[in-house]
């Protein structure tokens, strides 16, 4: 089974996204997909994430990296069947596929909770430098487990910047500052925001008294190195429960 067959198995077709959604994503570099997660799914996921954070303690997130002012968890593929939706949902895969031209695999699946008074990031891209317009290597998705609001530290993006062939650091004197064209991704919990990872983006300050919780299923082209080496990180029990199509998306075989 190749990646195109795997995507078809999950129900990805040319009609999975509307023409308007495809155009919006292509032009702006991001696309909100509403009502992907139900309230029941959100409760199950956040309960599991809280359990993992308690179990892992000060080692939480170490598989990828830790970040001041946040609670991070990594390698979620290996930590519960509930997380499979993050790399098998047809509308999410269709949008990722559009950016990466059908040539995709999961790079990593992590969670990030920005703590009160924290979460502000400089504008950045999720790649080591600028790329030519259309030559995209990575694409991310933010799974909103809480409402994203301006007070809650929602992610900011600069629409169209994926096509500028430059990074924020090449253009801005201080990438922590607001960009005149930035948009704050305000959306309800259960939304998944797809964004071309070459689009300038960054977290904003959480001004509430609660953590702002989200997951990130991050994809790359199949010729690129994964952020989490799925073959090395997954235990045999995890691989055994995955469908053949899911294994293709993860780029793993039997272990």
């Amino acid at each position: 089974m190749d990646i195109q067959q795997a995507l078809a198995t999950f129900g990805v077709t040319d009609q999975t996204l509307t023409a308007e959604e495809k155009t919006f994503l292509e032009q702006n570099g991001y696309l909100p997909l509403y009502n992907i997660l139900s309230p029941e799914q959100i409760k199950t996921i956040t309960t599991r994430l809280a359990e993992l954070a308690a179990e892992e303690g000060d080692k939480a997130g170490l598989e990828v990296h830790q970040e001041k002012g946040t609670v991070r968890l990594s390698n979620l593929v290996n930590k519960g069947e509930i997380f499979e939706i993050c790399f098998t949902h047809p509308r999410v895969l269709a949008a990722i596929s559009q950016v990466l031209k059908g040539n995709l695999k999961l790079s990593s699946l992590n969670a990030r909770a920005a703590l009160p008074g924290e979460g502000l990031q400089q504008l950045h891209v999720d790649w080591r430098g600028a790329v030519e317009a259309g030559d995209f290597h990575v694409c991310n998705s933010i799974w909103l487990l809480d409402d994203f609001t301006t007070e809650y530290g929602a992610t900011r993006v600069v629409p169209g910047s994926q096509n500028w062939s430059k990074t924020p650091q090449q253009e801005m004197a201080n990438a922590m500052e607001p960009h005149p064209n930035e948009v704050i991704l305000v959306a309800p919990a259960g939304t998944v925001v797809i964004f071309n990872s070459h689009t300038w983006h960054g977290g904003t300050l959480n001004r509430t008294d609660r953590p702002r919780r989200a997951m990130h299923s991050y994809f790359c082209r199949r010729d690129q190195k994964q952020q989490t080496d799925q073959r090395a990180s997954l235990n045999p029990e995890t691989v055994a429960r995955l469908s053949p199509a899911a294994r293709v998306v993860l780029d793993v075989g039997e272990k």
Side-chain angles (χ1 to χ4, degrees):
M1 181 182 295
D2 63 20
I3 186 60
Q4 293 307 313
Q5 292 169 322
L7 293 174
T9 298
F10 289 125
V12 178
T13 72
D14 288 340
Q15 288 74 48
T16 304
L17 297 180
T18 67
E20 292 77 13
E21 287 172 330
K22 293 176 184 178
T23 298
F24 188 94
L25 177 57
E26 181 177 355
Q27 292 179 347
N28 294 283
Y30 73 98
L31 175 68
L33 300 174
Y34 299 101
N35 300 311
I36 299 295
L37 292 175
S38 69
E40 294 76 17
Q41 287 172 311
I42 292 171
K43 183 177 180 180
T44 301
I45 289 169
T46 53
T47 298
R48 178 59 179 150
L49 292 176
E51 291 171 352
L52 289 169
E55 291 169 10
E56 297 182 19
D58 59 7
K59 294 181 173 58
L62 273 179
E63 299 99 326
V64 176
H65 69 89
Q66 295 175 316
E67 177 187 357
K68 178 185 177 296
T70 69
V71 176
R72 295 188 68 104
L73 292 161
S74 302
N75 194 25
L76 294 181
V77 179
N78 213 35
K79 297 176 182 178
E81 189 173 356
I82 185 61
F83 301 119
E84 288 187 24
I85 191 174
C86 298
F87 53 90
T88 62
H89 195 285
R91 280 178 55 75
V92 172
L93 289 174
I96 299 289
S97 183
Q98 177 177 325
V99 173
L100 299 181
K101 301 178 181 177
N103 179 25
L104 63 91
K105 63 182 176 182
L106 185 75
S107 181
S108 62
L109 176 55
N110 307 314
R112 178 180 184 268
L115 300 176
E118 303 284 354
L120 180 63
Q121 297 175 316
Q122 65 177 356
L123 285 169
H124 62 279
V125 297
D126 294 334
W127 193 245
R128 49 184 171 266
V131 300
E132 293 301 315
D135 184 26
F136 303 129
H137 295 69
V138 284
C139 187
N140 214 335
S141 60
I142 312 176
W143 295 68
L144 278 58
L145 303 176
D146 293 299
D147 294 341
F148 271 34
T149 67
T150 53
E151 286 298 303
Y152 221 176
T155 303
R156 56 183 175 143
V157 299
V158 181
S161 55
Q162 77 278 7
N163 293 320
W164 293 351
S165 300
K166 61 180 68 175
T167 67
Q169 289 68 32
Q170 292 172 312
E171 178 78 8
M172 301 175 67
N174 183 358
M176 296 293 286
E177 294 293 326
H179 188 278
N181 298 330
E182 73 181 30
V183 171
I184 306 297
L185 298 179
V186 173
T191 302
V192 177
V193 180
I194 309 299
F195 66 95
N196 182 325
S197 296
H198 304 278
T199 305
W200 300 6
H201 64 279
T204 62
L205 187 67
N206 180 0
R207 297 183 176 88
T208 74
D209 59 0
R210 296 161 292 149
R212 180 186 54 70
R213 300 165 297 179
M215 296 185 296
H216 298 84
S217 54
Y218 178 52
F219 293 79
C220 62
R221 291 195 323 210
R222 294 187 74 83
D223 61 348
Q224 298 299 319
K225 182 179 179 181
Q226 293 164 313
Q227 186 179 48
T228 300
D229 183 338
Q230 302 297 330
R231 287 177 179 266
S233 67
L234 301 187
N235 61 44
E237 293 76 19
T238 298
V239 175
R241 71 168 158 78
L242 294 171
S243 70
R247 293 174 196 164
V248 172
V249 172
L250 295 174
D251 196 24
V252 302
E254 300 290 348
K255 294 185 67 175

